Amino acid sequence: MKITFLGHAAVLIEGSKTVIIDPFLTGNPQATMSVNDLPKIDFIVVTHGHGDHIGDTVEIAKKFGSTVVTNFEIGLYLQKKGIDKVHTMHIGGRATVDGVMFKLTPALHGSGIVEDGEIIYGGNPAGVVIGLDHRRVYHAGDTGLTKDMELLSYENIDVAFLPIGGNYTMDVDDAVLAAKMISPKIVVPMHYNTWDPIKTDPEKFCEKVSEIGTCECKILKPGDSLEV
Ligand code: NI
Ligand code: MN
């Protein structure tokens, strides 16, 4: 399975199916790829309603006929935008759709969708565990540190994407504690350096993660991939 970091919180998984998580490419100062560079996308996961996570969901779903996996409220919002293949779930729920396993996990954050200066209710924010080709990927979404992450150690995560930028989410020190609780094989930092309020040093994160000694830390530049 090939996993590509697209910048900010956007992640592309390519195996027997293709899954893109939080596909914020247009207007993403870190993105090196645009919608036109994407392979055919089977699934889009939207962790919460913020613009830097919904991103290009509508355009990608319409282009490829992708199924969007998200919470009920965002699902309804996207259906109104003309997306017909929406699989809605809620936190704690697990579902296998066309051979791909999705589980929504708790996230401490907001999920309002801003449109024309108004906020539309976007349900509760989530993280997601994705099971594909005998691999498990966890994408935390935007979240603060929560002791519930301990439960993710039971999911046998191969690769975990954790926000480290602070201000809106965990910072480096909190994300190190999260990595310790989740104990994935590989941890990849995300949601940093896109804008000033989330500036941080990913090398510091990886130094501290290596002190734990149980998981490997990999910094992926936007456009970089890893194979698992
Ligand atoms: Ni957010
Ligand atoms: Mn965000």
Side-chain angles (χ1 to χ4, degrees), residues 12 20 53 64 77 83-84 96 126 130-131 133 139 165 181 195 217:
L12 173 66
I20 194 166
H53 297 262
F64 297 109
Y77 167 82
I83 298 176
D84 35 48
T96 299
I130 296 168
D133 300 345
H139 183 290
M181 286 191 274
W195 301 287
C217 186

Side-chain angles (χ1 to χ4, degrees), residues 8-9 48 50 52-53 109 142 168-169 191 195:
H8 195 56
H48 65 288
H50 294 160
D52 57 322
H53 297 262
H109 197 64
D142 281 359
Y168 309 105
T169 69
H191 214 274
W195 301 287

Side-chain angles (χ1 to χ4, degrees), residues 41-225:
I41 301 294
D42 298 310
F43 293 98
I44 304 168
V45 178
V46 179
T47 61
H48 65 288
H50 294 160
D52 57 322
H53 297 262
I54 288 188
D56 298 300
T57 294
V58 173
E59 189 186 340
I60 296 167
K62 285 184 178 170
K63 181 174 180 183
F64 297 109
S66 327
T67 298
V68 182
V69 177
T70 189
N71 73 27
F72 177 74
E73 291 82 1
I74 295 170
L76 212 63
Y77 167 82
L78 292 173
Q79 278 173 329
K80 282 188 186 164
K81 296 282 171 196
I83 298 176
D84 35 48
K85 284 160 77 181
V86 171
H87 181 95
T88 61
M89 303 178 65
H90 257 304
I91 289 167
R94 190 192 297 273
T96 299
V97 189
D98 205 11
V100 187
M101 188 281 284
F102 299 93
K103 183 182 187 185
L104 294 190
T105 62
L108 295 181
H109 197 64
S111 185
I113 302 162
V114 178
E115 197 168 75
D116 306 324
E118 302 286 330
I119 291 182
I120 299 167
Y121 180 62
N124 289 310
V128 65
V129 177
I130 296 168
L132 174 67
D133 300 345
H134 308 289
R135 298 285 182 274
R136 291 273 175 102
V137 178
Y138 169 62
H139 183 290
D142 281 359
T143 184
L145 181 65
T146 156
K147 205 155 184 299
D148 285 348
M149 288 171 175
E150 251 171 37
L151 295 171
L152 287 162
S153 65
Y154 296 102
E155 297 284 340
N156 299 313
I157 303 296
D158 292 289
V159 184
F161 283 83
L162 301 180
I164 65 162
N167 195 72
Y168 309 105
T169 69
M170 299 190 283
D171 60 10
V172 163
D173 288 331
D174 282 356
V176 170
L177 288 173
K180 201 170 177 175
M181 286 191 274
I182 300 161
S183 74
K185 289 195 184 75
I186 299 169
V187 63
V188 182
M190 66 171 181
H191 214 274
Y192 63 93
N193 291 355
T194 318
W195 301 287
D196 277 344
I198 58 172
K199 268 215 154 63
T200 197
D201 182 2
E203 301 282 354
K204 276 214 178 82
F205 172 70
C206 280
E207 273 166 35
K208 291 181 180 195
V209 166
S210 54
E211 282 166 22
I212 304 170
T214 52
C215 61
E216 193 185 336
C217 186
K218 283 196 176 165
I219 297 169
L220 296 181
K221 291 194 299 291
D224 280 359
S225 302

